[in-house]
Amino acid sequence: MRWLIPAAGLAALTGCNVSSEFLQRMEHQAKYEYYEASSFWADGRAMRTPPAGTVPRERFDKLPELKDPAQRQAALTGRSAGQPVAHVPVTVDQDLLTLGQKKYNIVCSQCHGVLGDGNSIVAENMALRLPPSLLDLEGKPDGHFYVAINEGYGVMPSFSGELDLRERWAVVAYVRALQTARNTRTDGQQPVPQENR
């Protein structure tokens, strides 16, 4: 008798023929696009004004050192006057680097490797294009890495949904720490220049 219940469950699962449309119904549900008209609201607009007291995701109160609007815009986009910013625009301290290490290991290391050298299991199985070694890009400005995280780069998608404003800059600061660590010698000798490696 004890085998009857598991057998009935197994029979129900094997006989289940669920269409992929049912499983993917979120993709096919009705929705409004930006600036689309709506008959549901009295003003005819689908886009709604956020309720009073709501807080945007890109909060600057996590970055109190950014008071100037130009600084805030550069921190948000990673660009100043159309060019990638040269340096991380927030205070780089141990807390920021610890946060950067944590977020890098969660979001970035699967492709770029724990050391930033582009060696990972995921990278080994990429067919289109291997992720670059971040260690070889030390000549790029800090904004280059931020823009890649924020907007995506090549086949890499944007990770702005996974990382908030402070976390993106924390990852950039941590990438710089990885690059510095690679070029630091413990034997007192000067590091080997990139072009001679």
Side-chain angles (χ1 to χ4, degrees):
M1 193 63 156
R2 281 186 278 177
W3 58 270
L4 188 57
I5 294 172
L10 182 61
L13 288 175
T14 56
C16 185
N17 187 10
V18 178
S19 73
S20 63
E21 281 192 28
F22 175 77
L23 296 175
Q24 299 297 324
R25 64 180 181 248
M26 293 290 284
E27 293 179 8
H28 303 290
Q29 68 181 347
K31 62 183 176 190
Y32 287 110
E33 297 293 332
Y34 296 122
Y35 301 104
E36 193 172 345
S38 168
S39 59
F40 182 80
W41 302 100
D43 62 6
R45 296 181 303 137
M47 290 176 64
R48 310 310 307 154
T49 303
T54 56
V55 179
R57 185 174 184 279
E58 302 296 351
R59 294 175 61 162
F60 285 105
D61 61 349
K62 291 184 179 179
L63 304 171
E65 63 267 38
L66 299 176
K67 294 177 175 43
D68 180 77
Q71 284 181 315
R72 288 182 173 198
Q73 187 62 26
L76 189 59
T77 63
R79 295 185 175 96
S80 179
Q83 297 298 314
V85 297
H87 302 288
V88 174
V90 299
T91 303
V92 178
D93 55 15
Q94 188 60 48
D95 288 340
L96 191 77
L97 288 173
T98 301
L99 176 64
Q101 180 182 26
K102 177 183 174 184
K103 294 301 180 177
Y104 177 88
N105 287 336
I106 292 170
V107 177
C108 312
S109 65
Q110 291 82 2
C111 295
H112 292 286
V114 176
L115 301 176
D117 55 8
N119 294 323
S120 71
I121 299 295
V122 173
E124 289 174 10
N125 293 299
M126 286 185 170
L128 290 176
R129 183 175 181 212
L130 296 175
S133 166
L134 300 174
L135 305 179
D136 293 339
L137 301 175
E138 59 192 316
K140 299 284 187 182
D142 292 351
H144 171 81
F145 300 102
Y146 179 88
V147 170
I149 294 167
N150 194 41
E151 300 174 8
Y153 189 86
V155 295
M156 181 182 114
S158 166
F159 285 97
S160 61
E162 290 75 16
L163 300 168
D164 69 21
L165 180 62
R166 180 174 169 76
E167 291 167 346
R168 283 176 240 153
W169 285 114
V171 168
V172 172
Y174 183 68
V175 167
R176 288 302 195 204
L178 288 173
Q179 292 170 339
T180 301
R182 177 194 188 187
N183 295 318
T184 302
R185 301 278 303 254
T186 58
D187 58 6
Q189 301 294 320
Q190 292 294 322
V192 178
Q194 178 97 21
E195 58 274 4
N196 295 337
R197 289 187 193 144

